[in-house]
Amino acid sequence: MNKKKDFLRTIVENDLKSGKYKEIVTRFPPEPNGFPHIGHAKSISINFGIARDYNGHCNLRMDDTNPTKEDTKYVHALEDAVKWLGFDWGEHLYFTSDYFSQIHDYAIKLIKMGKAYVDSLCEDEIREYRGTVTQPGKRSKFAQRSVEENLDLFERMKNGEFKDGEHVLRAKIDMSAANMKMRDPLLYRIRHAHHFRAGDKWSIYPMYDFAHCLSDYIEGITHSICTLEFENNRDIYDWVLDTLELKPPRPYQYEFARLNINYTVMSKRKLLELVEGGYVSGWDDPRLPTIAGYRRRGYTPESILNFCDQIGIAKANSVVDVAQLEFCIRDGLNPKVPRVLCVLDPLKVTIENYEGSEELEAPYYPHDVPKEGSRKIPFSKEIYIEKDDFAENPPKGYFRLTPEQPVRLRHGYIISCKEVIKDENGNITEIKAEYYPDSKSGAEDTSGIKVKSAIQWVSVADAKKVEVRLYDRLFKNEAPEGIEDLNPNSLQIIKNAFIEPAVITEKPDERFQFERQGYFYTDPIDYSDENPVFNKIVGLKDSWAKKAKTKQTAPKPQPKKVQVDGEVAPMTDEQKILFEKYTNELRLNSEVSNTLARDKFLSNFFEDALCAFNCPVSISNIVVNEVARELKQAQADELKFSAGHISQLVKMIDADTISSKIAKQVFEEMAKTGENPTQIVKAKGLVQISDPAKISPIIDEIISNNPDNVAKFKAGNTKLLGFFVGQVLKKTGGKANPKVVNELVAQKLQ
Ligand code: ATP
Ligand code: MG
């Protein structure tokens, strides 16, 4: 098991060790009232993951207690999602509705014990009687009903003699409990509704608080893992199981923080609103955070699970940056998919000095992807390039084709522009160009011509016309509420894109990198060889990180000159652009920006790390110091760690999991072994100690061992504070949180 141990796994391990349970049984208990989303993926990965890791099993349970909202199509969607993510419930597929009779019997038992009563207050009165956080509630007069009367009324509720809302069954607990949930919670309500599985048999349905704990018990669940909003319900969970005096072992409830992602809505209710309102094409619209949507878009299950692992299991709610999910998707595709050429917005180029045609051999994978395979790209006199890749009046730092500047056709020749053809409105319709016969890509290039970039292209005669669907974030707002925050430009359909023929005829894969454009997936529903349709999975870089940053108006820092062989090397245009971006947008200091901008590897590395964790200052510091130092001793491709490792490291510093001092130690280890930093911290026990209860005794010991220094300090030598702090840090191997140590030492020496 290579997963770091989270608090849930710690509990599970202890319970196995102590013999509390023989086998671990978890469950994933969705309500079939909508399609599952990425939040459910997290819950699935936790519940099925724990069962797998400890050789137990995980039940898939449809929590179908609300007949008005549930449906079989959602049951199927939930099953599909669990399977697609690679998990298996074996024969353990259950429905709460299958337990309706047993749950009903337990209710009777509670009534007979005098622990439950039929209340006939109306909804408003029930709310009013409940009291407030500061004021105790008041019990309904109906609570005095006799057991016989309660049994009779409950039976008649079941038989459908009353209208919805006329009566409810409540637990008799404590109307002045500090936990408001314990103020006689509702156990059953009347609902004259058809249930998609139980039919019309029932006129009463159990509430979540009653049905869930009992379903867990009936199934022999050991660890009932749910999200934090159920924390206060835990008391009811325990009350029901304890009061019924059920035979042990019984399950216990544990809560973790639900997943929230920015620019995303995650409640099934809000997703349903988007689907039913026609704002998206269906539950599997590739812009939705549903598993079906991600699947159709081309996300892979491995990447989604990887993301769930990366964000970890916490006990405090937080919002995860959607860029982190996108990073995981990119990171999963990068080492796998073929690279191909596709032109989305074509501009015709006629190469006037070329006759005939040829086929250019080109590998599908770059050097750093350990996969083999190549295809032939047809080349001829007429080609399409991207409209954007030609500029008549290029802005500063433009590296592609201009009237003055040649460019390389990827895997092909260098061309230069001879003439720009325009229509009557001045729009460019065609470029007349020339190619250099001795510039063919690779070893055959003897032209000596320097170009600044290589662009994608396709041959007009051979390219296939394809539809490409570009997706952007569904919401323009970081914390969207609903439809009012929709991004009007979240879908762009391009009907006339052109792709090199091998993609369609050879089908080397279903997912591709369209070079310089992003990752794309053959739409599993609309794609056919006659009408190929591709979905954009994710871009090559996080484009929102740039958009979101505001321009700064402060005076511009100037690029520092560096000395190369005793001479000051001026920055190239490209480096200047980077320098400005780093100082202006990311607000790095000019020293750091300078180092990054001048080193292509470092700046790429930095930006990759940034995509995974947007913390520019800390990441840049590690990159220009530690990573740069490693690079001096090794070639770039010999580095044992990746940009992703660096972002993980910074994330741990940021979360106060480790100190910056320990981070250096972790980095050394990473550089040496290539192990991931989270694992290093775990294996070596480097987690920062911030708990005063753990630090205090160490300080006390040092104080008592150094009476002389204590006396000197008290006599006014305050510099000795540093001595004590230093001793504590030393004693903990640098693991104590320096801030906490400082405060405690100062306090104790007073
Ligand atoms: P929604 O508000 O989206 O309808 P829910 O909690 O009502 O979510 P259920 O179908 O009842 O959805 O949830 C099934 C399981 O998935 C529950 O255990 C729930 O705690 C978990 N779950 C739901 N949303 C998230 C989330 N965002 N992060 C983690 N777990 C989640
Ligand atoms: Mg729900």
Side-chain angles (χ1 to χ4, degrees):
M1 192 190 322
N2 57 4
K3 202 178 284 178
K4 70 170 192 251
K5 209 190 303 161
D6 48 77
F7 78 95
L8 291 170
R9 285 180 167 77
T10 305
I11 293 170
V12 165
E13 276 184 20
N14 289 340
D15 286 350
L16 280 174
K17 237 183 264 162
S18 73
K20 186 167 171 186
Y21 304 110
K22 297 224 158 30
E23 191 201 355
I24 297 304
V25 187
T26 55
R27 84 287 171 264
F28 170 60
E31 182 183 354
N33 62 348
F35 272 53
H37 48 63
I38 181 84
H40 293 106
K42 178 172 179 178
S43 180
I44 291 169
S45 107
I46 291 175
N47 282 298
F48 279 93
I50 288 181
R52 175 202 56 208
D53 290 352
Y54 296 96
N55 299 317
H57 69 263
C58 179
N59 299 351
L60 173 58
R61 182 196 314 146
M62 300 298 159
D63 191 13
D64 54 349
T65 53
N66 185 354
T68 56
K69 300 217 169 105
E70 294 155 3
D71 198 280
T72 312
K73 71 173 181 238
Y74 301 132
V75 172
H76 293 316
L78 285 154
E79 291 174 352
D80 284 348
V82 175
K83 273 191 243 163
W84 184 71
L85 287 170
F87 294 108
D88 184 6
W89 55 86
E91 63 261 44
H92 305 287
L93 170 63
Y94 303 113
F95 291 81
T96 303
S97 55
D98 289 342
Y99 313 136
F100 279 170
S101 289
Q102 286 175 79
I103 295 171
H104 174 257
D105 291 347
Y106 283 123
I108 304 266
K109 185 170 169 194
L110 279 184
I111 296 174
K112 287 184 176 160
M113 295 171 89
K115 297 287 187 187
Y117 61 95
V118 173
D119 196 1
S120 310
L121 294 180
C122 70
E123 217 178 300
D124 287 342
E125 287 168 322
I126 288 179
R127 195 174 313 117
E128 199 189 308
Y129 276 42
R130 189 166 282 131
T132 64
V133 196
T134 48
Q135 278 177 332
K138 161 169 104 181
R139 189 160 268 161
S140 158
K141 64 170 188 264
F142 300 110
Q144 289 165 13
R145 280 174 171 150
S146 68
V147 169
E148 289 67 37
E149 191 182 353
N150 281 322
L151 286 173
D152 174 59
L153 282 170
F154 189 54
E155 174 68 16
R156 290 164 58 201
M157 280 167 69
K158 181 177 97 133
N159 294 341
E161 289 184 29
F162 305 112
K163 290 202 288 288
D164 286 10
E166 227 177 309
H167 304 288
V168 291
L169 184 73
R170 298 181 75 168
K172 198 182 230 174
I173 308 182
D174 179 2
M175 286 306 289
S176 53
N179 176 359
M180 300 260 300
K181 297 254 176 194
M182 291 292 272
R183 297 185 184 174
D184 291 10
L186 271 56
L187 304 181
Y188 264 95
R189 61 181 167 181
I190 301 173
R191 271 274 182 290
H192 289 278
H194 181 81
H195 188 282
F196 76 104
R197 294 189 83 243
D200 298 309
K201 174 162 184 228
W202 296 89
S203 302
I204 50 170
Y205 289 92
M207 306 296 289
Y208 169 89
D209 280 322
F210 194 51
H212 203 83
C213 53
L214 287 171
S215 307
D216 282 347
Y217 178 76
I218 292 166
E219 288 176 15
I221 301 299
T222 56
H223 298 78
S224 178
I225 300 165
C226 64
T227 39
L228 274 178
E229 64 276 18
F230 293 100
E231 202 169 1
N232 288 337
N233 300 61
R234 195 198 319 132
D235 285 344
I236 311 181
Y237 190 101
D238 291 336
W239 184 91
V240 171
L241 297 185
D242 290 343
T243 306
L244 284 167
E245 294 169 345
L246 298 171
K247 197 166 95 258
R250 55 155 275 205
Y252 286 87
Q253 175 185 307
Y254 303 94
E255 308 89 20
F256 69 96
R258 69 191 290 121
L259 170 63
N260 299 300
I261 301 186
N262 61 6
Y263 296 99
T264 309
V265 298
M266 203 108 78
S267 114
K268 279 179 284 182
R269 186 178 51 78
K270 286 185 179 168
L271 295 173
L272 184 69
E273 186 182 24
L274 294 171
V275 173
E276 293 200 324
Y279 299 98
V280 293
S281 64
W283 282 104
D284 68 345
D285 187 299
R287 291 165 295 175
L288 287 181
T290 52
I291 306 298
Y294 285 148
R295 180 175 179 178
R296 178 148 186 200
R297 179 148 174 181
Y299 283 21
T300 58
E302 303 80 47
S303 300
I304 292 176
L305 290 176
N306 197 12
F307 167 73
C308 293
D309 270 0
Q310 250 191 38
I311 52 177
I313 310 177
K315 277 203 259 195
N317 279 316
S318 65
V319 180
V320 174
D321 193 335
V322 64
Q324 202 181 335
L325 171 62
E326 291 163 352
F327 173 84
C328 289
I329 304 304
R330 222 178 267 130
D331 207 38
L333 295 172
N334 177 40
K336 289 210 188 87
V337 302
R339 272 60 169 173
V340 298
L341 305 181
C342 179
V343 172
L344 298 182
D345 189 9
L347 171 63
K348 188 166 150 193
V349 176
T350 306
I351 303 166
E352 296 193 298
N353 61 342
Y354 188 90
E355 292 305 331
S357 68
E358 66 187 288
E359 289 189 316
L360 304 166
E361 180 83 14
Y364 274 127
Y365 307 96
H367 298 299
D368 54 350
V369 169
K371 288 181 87 171
E372 303 274 324
S374 65
R375 81 291 194 186
K376 294 194 161 49
I377 310 177
F379 179 68
S380 62
K381 191 183 180 81
E382 290 182 344
I383 61 170
Y384 290 127
I385 65 168
E386 209 67 64
K387 237 179 220 146
D388 262 3
D389 285 340
F390 174 78
E392 202 174 14
N393 304 300
K396 240 172 131 185
Y398 187 87
F399 295 145
R400 298 159 274 167
L401 189 63
T402 75
E404 274 77 44
Q405 183 169 270
V407 78
R408 174 173 300 281
L409 301 175
R410 177 78 169 136
H411 300 304
Y413 298 94
I414 294 173
I415 59 167
S416 61
C417 166
K418 291 292 152 216
E419 194 187 344
V420 181
I421 315 283
K422 296 180 181 173
D423 63 14
E424 62 272 24
N425 300 319
N427 300 318
I428 300 173
T429 54
E430 188 185 342
I431 304 289
K432 304 268 189 213
E434 256 178 30
Y435 88 116
Y436 301 92
D438 53 356
S439 69
K440 193 163 165 182
S441 187
E444 292 169 57
D445 180 7
T446 54
S447 68
I449 303 167
K450 290 256 171 293
V451 287
K452 291 183 177 151
S453 66
I455 59 172
Q456 69 270 31
W457 57 278
V458 292
S459 151
V460 172
D462 307 274
K464 306 275 184 201
K465 196 197 262 191
V466 296
E467 177 176 329
V468 176
R469 298 172 183 170
L470 303 178
Y471 303 104
D472 200 347
R473 296 189 181 160
L474 185 54
F475 293 97
K476 55 180 192 285
N477 202 316
E478 185 154 357
E481 284 298 326
I483 47 178
E484 62 276 21
D485 296 318
L486 283 169
N487 170 8
N489 306 315
S490 61
L491 171 63
Q492 188 195 345
I493 299 179
I494 298 174
K495 293 272 188 194
N496 297 314
F498 289 97
I499 204 160
E500 57 166 296
V503 174
I504 313 293
T505 55
E506 288 182 10
K507 291 201 186 51
D509 206 333
E510 295 176 322
R511 294 179 179 81
F512 300 90
Q513 186 189 102
F514 292 179
E515 291 205 35
R516 301 178 63 231
Q517 310 273 21
Y519 293 96
F520 291 81
Y521 181 50
T522 48
D523 187 278
I525 297 193
D526 296 338
Y527 184 100
S528 68
D529 282 353
E530 295 67 49
N531 291 302
V533 178
F534 292 89
N535 294 324
K536 180 165 180 178
I537 307 171
V538 66
L540 296 173
K541 282 253 150 76
D542 180 8
S543 54
W544 278 64
K546 290 173 212 143
K547 278 191 223 163
K549 297 275 160 6
T550 45
K551 280 251 179 290
Q552 186 194 18
T553 44
K556 286 189 183 170
Q558 285 305 307
K560 195 177 138 193
K561 307 236 156 88
V562 287
Q563 303 252 316
V564 177
D565 298 335
E567 300 231 356
V568 175
M571 274 194 181
T572 65
D573 285 346
E574 189 181 12
Q575 290 169 344
K576 279 185 202 150
I577 291 172
L578 277 180
F579 179 84
E580 302 222 329
K581 172 176 151 190
Y582 292 155
T583 49
N584 285 346
E585 288 181 23
L586 302 184
R587 306 185 175 218
L588 307 182
N589 75 37
S590 53
E591 197 99 17
V592 168
S593 304
N594 186 56
T595 310
L596 287 177
R598 284 176 182 276
D599 187 317
K600 188 123 190 73
F601 179 84
L602 284 185
S603 57
N604 279 338
F605 193 94
F606 166 66
E607 298 203 5
D608 284 350
L610 206 57
C611 285
F613 186 58
N614 195 1
C615 194
V617 175
S618 313
I619 291 183
S620 64
N621 276 327
I622 294 196
V623 172
V624 303
N625 295 308
E626 268 73 24
V627 178
R629 197 188 56 231
E630 284 299 313
L631 266 184
K632 288 207 181 102
Q633 292 153 13
Q635 293 296 317
D637 56 4
E638 290 167 10
L639 289 186
K640 292 233 166 93
F641 52 85
S642 68
H645 286 146
I646 298 295
S647 19
Q648 273 184 37
L649 185 65
V650 171
K651 208 161 168 194
M652 285 190 285
I653 307 174
D654 194 63
D656 264 349
T657 311
I658 54 171
S659 62
S660 346
K661 200 166 161 186
I662 292 289
K664 295 224 161 71
Q665 194 183 326
V666 177
F667 178 83
E668 299 306 327
E669 187 69 21
M670 246 166 70
K672 219 163 59 198
T673 64
E675 236 191 294
N676 109 24
T678 317
Q679 253 152 30
I680 298 175
V681 168
K682 164 108 206 309
K684 301 204 166 231
L686 296 175
V687 172
Q688 174 157 263
I689 309 171
S690 301
D691 182 359
K694 294 215 175 95
I695 299 175
S696 260
I698 303 171
I699 301 180
D700 294 341
E701 189 190 325
I702 288 165
I703 288 181
S704 76
N705 288 344
N706 293 279
D708 293 357
N709 279 341
V710 175
K712 282 187 205 154
F713 178 86
K714 293 205 165 145
N717 186 354
T718 48
K719 279 191 195 141
L720 280 168
L721 193 69
F723 161 80
F724 288 103
V725 172
Q727 291 290 309
V728 179
L729 292 180
K730 204 165 145 200
K731 186 106 197 177
T732 57
K735 287 190 287 182
N737 182 333
K739 209 170 132 230
V740 178
V741 174
N742 255 299
E743 280 165 15
L744 283 176
V745 168
Q747 224 173 8
K748 287 187 189 266
L749 285 176
Q750 255 178 19

